Amino acid sequence: MTRPTLASPRPGGRPRDDSRDGAIRQATLELLAEHGYDGVTMDRVATRAKAGKATIYRRWPSKVALVMDSITQFTEQTLQVPDSGSLRAEMIAFLTVFHELVGSEQGRIMAEMVSEMPRNPELRAAVRERMWSQRKSMSEVIITRGIARGEITPTADPNILMEVGTALILQRLLITGDPVDPAFIAHVVDDVIIAYARRGDRAPADREARQA
């Protein structure tokens, strides 16, 4: 017998009415912003979305499934970066949207989820399964286009290319408080990401030869 997953509704029951999904997800995000993860219940979501609990459970088997689906649906729509013809333009667009997202109400919701992870193994597994894999898949689209254009050397690590920019933004937002403005994002893209994309991770023998 197949068990329901984070991405699938419960088997059986009446046919699903997709028109209710948006209202239920929006209600979930609003409650997360107002009450945090612990304050979200299926009863509250049902009341806010004007939907029956049975309707919600037919779509999502648990609270964590509903919460993760609501967040990842929102970020998937927000973080899309169209093909602009250059790695630089796409990286600037991606980091600009990422900065706007993590600084928004939804970003504070994600910070709440991350802080809850050490206390909630089920949530921790869901965040890793959905949010991190989602960001990775979005990042891979940009990297794949850059490789196809010849803008990224084959020796560059795709994970470094995508992680360094977001890590520097989070460092400023969460720790130092320094500004994250267009000039800073352009500096990160031009002097860190693009520089690494062109140079890549040379082999140790190559580095030793250059230093000799």
Side-chain angles (χ1 to χ4, degrees):
M1 179 177 177
T2 303
R3 297 181 60 190
T5 66
L6 287 174
S8 64
R10 282 184 171 181
R14 290 178 296 174
R16 151 179 203 149
D17 177 9
D18 290 338
S19 65
R20 301 299 300 149
D21 289 9
I24 293 168
R25 291 190 184 105
Q26 181 60 36
T28 303
L29 291 174
E30 291 173 1
L31 289 167
L32 281 167
E34 294 168 14
H35 303 288
Y37 180 78
D38 287 342
V40 176
T41 67
M42 293 303 209
D43 284 326
R44 281 179 166 174
V45 172
T47 299
R48 180 70 61 95
K50 296 181 174 59
K53 283 177 62 177
T55 299
I56 297 174
Y57 275 114
R58 278 196 297 272
R59 289 156 166 75
W60 299 275
S62 65
K63 180 177 101 168
V64 69
L66 171 58
V67 167
M68 291 310 307
D69 186 54
S70 300
I71 292 175
T72 54
Q73 283 285 329
F74 175 81
T75 56
E76 181 177 326
Q77 296 168 5
T78 305
L79 287 173
Q80 293 294 336
V81 175
D83 187 344
S84 64
S86 78
L87 177 65
R88 181 182 188 274
E90 289 173 16
M91 288 302 307
I92 287 177
F94 178 82
L95 292 179
T96 298
V97 173
F98 177 80
H99 170 238
E100 293 171 351
L101 174 62
V102 297
S104 69
E105 186 173 85
Q106 283 73 22
R108 291 190 289 275
I109 291 172
M110 287 187 283
E112 158 81 18
M113 302 288 285
V114 171
S115 67
E116 178 70 19
M117 285 170 59
R119 302 185 294 273
N120 190 325
E122 183 186 15
L123 179 63
R124 180 169 63 245
V127 168
R128 288 174 176 169
E129 176 188 341
R130 296 294 299 273
M131 290 178 65
W132 293 170
S133 62
Q134 179 199 49
R135 197 187 76 172
K136 184 174 184 292
S137 65
M138 291 178 179
S139 303
E140 286 172 348
V141 172
I142 297 175
I143 300 304
T144 299
R145 291 195 292 239
I147 292 172
R149 298 186 200 108
E151 298 172 291
I152 300 174
T153 179
T155 57
D157 184 339
N159 292 326
I160 298 273
L161 283 169
M162 294 310 305
E163 290 172 0
V164 65
T166 54
L168 289 170
I169 288 173
L170 290 173
Q171 167 86 4
R172 291 199 166 203
L173 286 177
L174 302 178
I175 300 176
T176 67
D178 292 332
V180 178
D181 53 21
F184 173 74
I185 291 176
H187 168 55
V188 169
V189 172
D190 291 335
D191 300 325
V192 180
I193 296 174
I194 298 296
Y196 176 73
R198 290 173 177 168
R199 179 183 63 85
D201 187 16
R202 291 188 175 92
D206 187 21
R207 290 198 297 267
E208 291 172 5
R210 289 185 296 108
Q211 293 170 357

